[in-house]
């Protein structure tokens, strides 16, 4: 099978990173899932920074298990967090994705949550349930997890690709589409 036109779409989350793989040649979504981390509750003289590094490593390990893709699109968190810790976690998840892309030497295109909502649900004020419903309509063949928070992360990942569909990188991968 030719995997040269598979795009990995990512929602860069720290506790739940959603992903979906789109195969341009097949014209559809072929895989989805989440990579999850949890705070260590074991008292092993672990500092918060050590646990943070461990969780970033788990995110990277999860991404490295996703194979046979030739490009990445990712929703880049834009802020709006409630505190400094949340901002740090979002930045770390984005850094893990950037490190993954660099280590695999893959082209990447970044998008915002606002662009994703507009592209997938048709409006920037779309609620999570609307995003999930829209994603499940365009990819009913996927094995969707039952938990709502996992579906949210996958829907956001899918929205990142849809919002980049006419971007330069994705256009170059689509057959018969000029790369103007």
């Amino acid at each position: 099978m030719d995997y040269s036109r598979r795009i990995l779409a990512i929602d860069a989350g720290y506790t739940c990173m959603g992903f979906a793989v789109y195969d341009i040649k097949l014209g559809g979504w072929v895989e989805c899932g989440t990579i999850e981390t949890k705070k260590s509750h074991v008292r092993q003289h672990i500092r918060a920074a050590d646990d943070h590094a461990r969780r970033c490593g788990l995110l990277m390990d999860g991404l490295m298990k996703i194979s046979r893709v030739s490009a990445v699109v990712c929703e880049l968190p834009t802020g709006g967090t409630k505190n400094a810790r949340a901002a740090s976690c979002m930045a770390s998840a984005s850094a893990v994705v950037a490190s993954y892309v660099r280590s695999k030497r893959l082209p990447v295109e970044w998008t915002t949550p606002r662009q994703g909502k507009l592209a997938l649900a048709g409006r920037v004020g779309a609620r999570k349930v609307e995003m999930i419903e829209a994603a499940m309509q365009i990819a009913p063949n996927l094995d969707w997890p039952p938990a709502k928070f996992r579906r949210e992360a996958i829907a956001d990942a899918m929205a990142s690709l849809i919002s980049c569909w006419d971007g330069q990188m994705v256009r170059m991968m689509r057959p018969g589409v000029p790369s103007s």
Side-chain angles (χ1 to χ4, degrees):
M1 178 168 270
D2 178 17
Y3 300 105
S4 65
R5 292 195 185 161
R6 283 195 170 188
I7 300 173
L8 172 61
I10 300 172
D11 172 38
Y14 183 71
T15 57
C16 183
M17 182 176 287
F19 70 88
V21 178
Y22 187 88
D23 189 310
I24 289 179
K25 191 171 184 178
L26 295 176
W29 298 96
V30 295
E31 180 182 357
C32 72
T34 58
I35 304 164
E36 297 170 40
T37 69
K38 291 184 176 159
K39 183 177 180 177
S40 175
H41 294 292
V42 179
R43 295 303 238 175
Q44 309 173 14
H45 305 290
I46 294 179
R47 297 176 298 169
D50 293 334
D51 192 50
H52 185 74
R54 178 191 65 83
R55 291 174 75 182
C56 287
L58 292 173
L59 291 173
M60 179 63 93
D61 291 347
L63 286 173
M64 294 300 273
K65 289 178 185 174
I66 302 167
S67 60
R68 301 183 182 120
V69 297
S70 55
V72 174
V73 294
C74 183
E75 180 184 281
L76 186 63
T78 56
T81 60
K82 296 177 182 167
N83 58 50
R85 173 80 176 134
S88 171
C89 292
M90 285 188 351
S92 294
S94 299
V96 167
V97 173
S99 297
Y100 165 77
V101 166
R102 181 140 175 106
S103 72
K104 292 285 195 175
R105 299 191 188 311
L106 295 171
V108 64
E109 196 161 328
W110 302 91
T111 187
T112 66
R114 183 179 176 97
Q115 292 167 319
K117 286 180 179 184
L118 182 60
L120 181 61
R123 60 190 197 91
V124 295
R127 297 183 333 259
K128 289 293 184 184
V129 68
E130 294 174 80
M131 296 290 286
I132 293 168
E133 288 171 1
M136 291 179 79
Q137 275 186 339
I138 63 170
N141 62 308
L142 293 179
D143 185 19
W144 286 88
K148 184 181 175 194
F149 76 97
R150 290 184 180 109
R151 290 179 180 203
E152 289 173 1
I154 294 166
D156 286 348
M158 293 172 73
S160 68
L161 175 57
I162 295 166
S163 69
C164 292
W165 192 251
D166 287 322
Q168 188 69 23
M169 182 190 72
V170 177
R171 286 177 63 82
M172 288 177 17
M173 295 179 72
R174 291 169 37 207
V177 178
S179 60
S180 62

